[in-house]
Amino acid sequence: MPAKTDRKDLLDIGQNCAALRTRMAARGVTRAYDAALRPLGIKITQFTLLVTAKYEADLSIGDMADVLAMERSTLTRNLKLLADMGLIEMRKGSAPRTKVPVITRKGDALLTKAIPIWRDAQARLTAHMGKARWKEARTLLTDLSLVPG
Amino acid sequence: MPAKTDRKDLLDIGQNCAALRTRMAARGVTRAYDAALRPLGIKITQFTLLVTAKYEADLSIGDMADVLAMERSTLTRNLKLLADMGLIEMRKGSAPRTKVPVITRKGDALLTKAIPIWRDAQARLTAHMGKARWKEARTLLTDLSLVPG
DNA sequence: CCTTTAAATATGCATATACATATTACAAGT
DNA sequence: ACTTGTAATATGTATATGCATATTTAAAGG
């Protein structure tokens, strides 16, 4: 008989699809952190880019994209927004042809204000999950981000 | 002394930020499923909407948005794309003012082709994670999607 | 030095996402 | 029936994301 769509399949997908479940989690978590940061005028994605730029010196766009499991072109545009806001500056990297985001004084000042807010949001999340379960989730999320494509 | 940004904080954020980690996972997993479905011309997000529409009859946009932990306005637009492709039809729901997505014959035919592809992608992911760990991840992801905002 | 080539980044196009606000559609009250 | 209020959906604006392709930049080879 032909492979017609079965209700059991549909239920299986709705309950178990890794992409659906992971994206649902990302939506929920992102909304929580974005709401917390809204008074500062940045989103959690931008916050993490600022943090990465400040933590790692001479990290090119391409290498940063690898670290963040993000497409280079996506990162290029996201960094451009931060540059337009004056929070980072794009400089030439030491490796040939590379560009490197460098946090500005304005970006640094914003980061100083943002970190306590991030800490609160993160604390609320770990309280919601339970510390041990969040730790386990962290490990599993890392594995999920490395799924072969 | 003033609360200057500390390298320890930056490291903490890069390694533990739930939003960063969850979004990284969503990016990686989404890329894998999108790549698998590309020959059919749909993305994993659209696939899950088709499945939901087929599984639940008379589910309004608003209720569907709740089920998927998605903003109503986001869902409205995503459904419009599917309607433009002829994969669903928007009909009046039984509840006042509601609209309900209904899968078309064309959408159903596509779904029949897409389900085996989904199954393969899902199998590759569970193989990568390990069955038991994926099961645990599933539970934790559900909790993450319900984090209070 | 000049040309070629390859690596790195940028751009065109498209979907996904969310908040704020506008519109629409219907129920309830008069 | 008419008006009004409210619930549901749609729209304006903005960021995030990725693939395919174009552009740029500098190393390598002549």
Side-chain angles (χ1 to χ4, degrees):
Chain A
M1 58 183 178
K4 292 186 62 179
T5 68
D6 187 344
R7 275 191 84 69
K8 234 181 307 184
D9 288 336
L10 301 178
L11 185 63
D12 182 27
I13 294 164
Q15 295 194 336
N16 297 313
C17 175
L20 173 59
R21 291 282 150 184
T22 310
R23 289 184 73 86
M24 282 175 61
R27 288 195 289 262
V29 173
T30 300
R31 274 197 295 264
Y33 283 71
D34 277 356
L37 287 171
R38 193 157 308 130
L40 296 188
I42 57 170
K43 313 185 85 180
I44 186 60
T45 45
Q46 303 173 327
F47 173 76
T48 56
L49 295 188
L50 285 179
V51 168
T52 307
K54 172 146 190 186
Y55 186 74
E56 307 227 38
D58 199 43
L59 187 65
S60 72
I61 293 179
D63 289 346
M64 193 164 163
D66 291 341
V67 168
L68 300 174
M70 184 183 293
E71 274 301 304
R72 282 154 177 67
S73 62
T74 301
L75 183 55
T76 295
R77 283 176 227 251
N78 292 357
L79 288 174
K80 183 165 186 337
L81 283 176
L82 293 179
D84 290 348
M85 296 184 216
L87 304 178
I88 62 168
E89 260 182 35
M90 296 308 296
R91 298 204 190 144
K92 258 192 281 207
S94 63
R97 287 179 293 274
T98 60
K99 291 192 189 174
V100 171
V102 177
I103 197 164
T104 61
R105 219 181 309 182
K106 184 178 173 189
D108 206 47
L110 185 62
L111 204 49
T112 300
K113 283 192 243 174
I115 285 176
I117 294 177
W118 173 83
R119 229 192 301 274
D120 280 0
Q122 180 80 4
R124 278 196 295 277
L125 183 134
T126 54
H128 165 72
M129 296 289 291
K131 267 207 177 97
R133 292 179 77 247
W134 161 242
K135 213 179 156 197
E136 179 65 9
R138 203 189 73 82
T139 303
L140 292 165
L141 287 169
T142 300
D143 289 351
L144 282 171
S145 68
L146 298 175
V147 63
Chain B
M1 58 183 175
K4 293 185 59 179
T5 68
D6 188 342
R7 275 191 84 70
K8 235 183 303 185
D9 288 336
L10 301 179
L11 186 62
D12 182 26
I13 294 163
Q15 296 196 333
N16 297 313
C17 175
L20 172 58
R21 291 282 151 184
T22 310
R23 289 184 73 85
M24 282 175 61
R27 288 196 288 262
V29 174
T30 301
R31 274 197 295 265
Y33 284 70
D34 277 356
L37 288 171
R38 191 156 310 129
L40 296 188
I42 58 170
K43 311 184 87 179
I44 186 63
T45 47
Q46 303 173 327
F47 172 77
T48 56
L49 295 188
L50 285 179
V51 168
T52 308
K54 171 146 191 186
Y55 186 73
E56 307 227 38
D58 199 44
L59 186 66
S60 71
I61 293 179
D63 289 345
M64 191 163 164
D66 290 342
V67 167
L68 300 175
M70 186 183 290
E71 273 302 304
R72 282 155 176 68
S73 62
T74 301
L75 183 55
T76 296
R77 284 177 226 250
N78 291 357
L79 289 175
K80 183 161 186 343
L81 283 176
L82 293 181
D84 290 348
M85 295 185 218
L87 304 177
I88 63 169
E89 260 184 34
M90 297 307 299
R91 296 205 190 142
K92 257 193 276 207
S94 64
R97 288 178 292 273
T98 59
K99 292 192 189 172
V100 172
V102 178
I103 196 164
T104 62
R105 217 180 310 179
K106 183 177 173 188
D108 206 46
L110 186 62
L111 204 49
T112 300
K113 283 194 241 172
I115 286 177
I117 294 178
W118 174 83
R119 227 193 302 275
D120 280 0
Q122 182 80 3
R124 278 195 295 277
L125 183 134
T126 52
H128 166 73
M129 295 289 291
K131 267 207 178 99
R133 292 180 76 245
W134 161 243
K135 212 180 156 196
E136 178 66 10
R138 203 189 71 84
T139 304
L140 292 165
L141 287 169
T142 299
D143 289 352
L144 282 171
S145 67
L146 299 174
V147 63

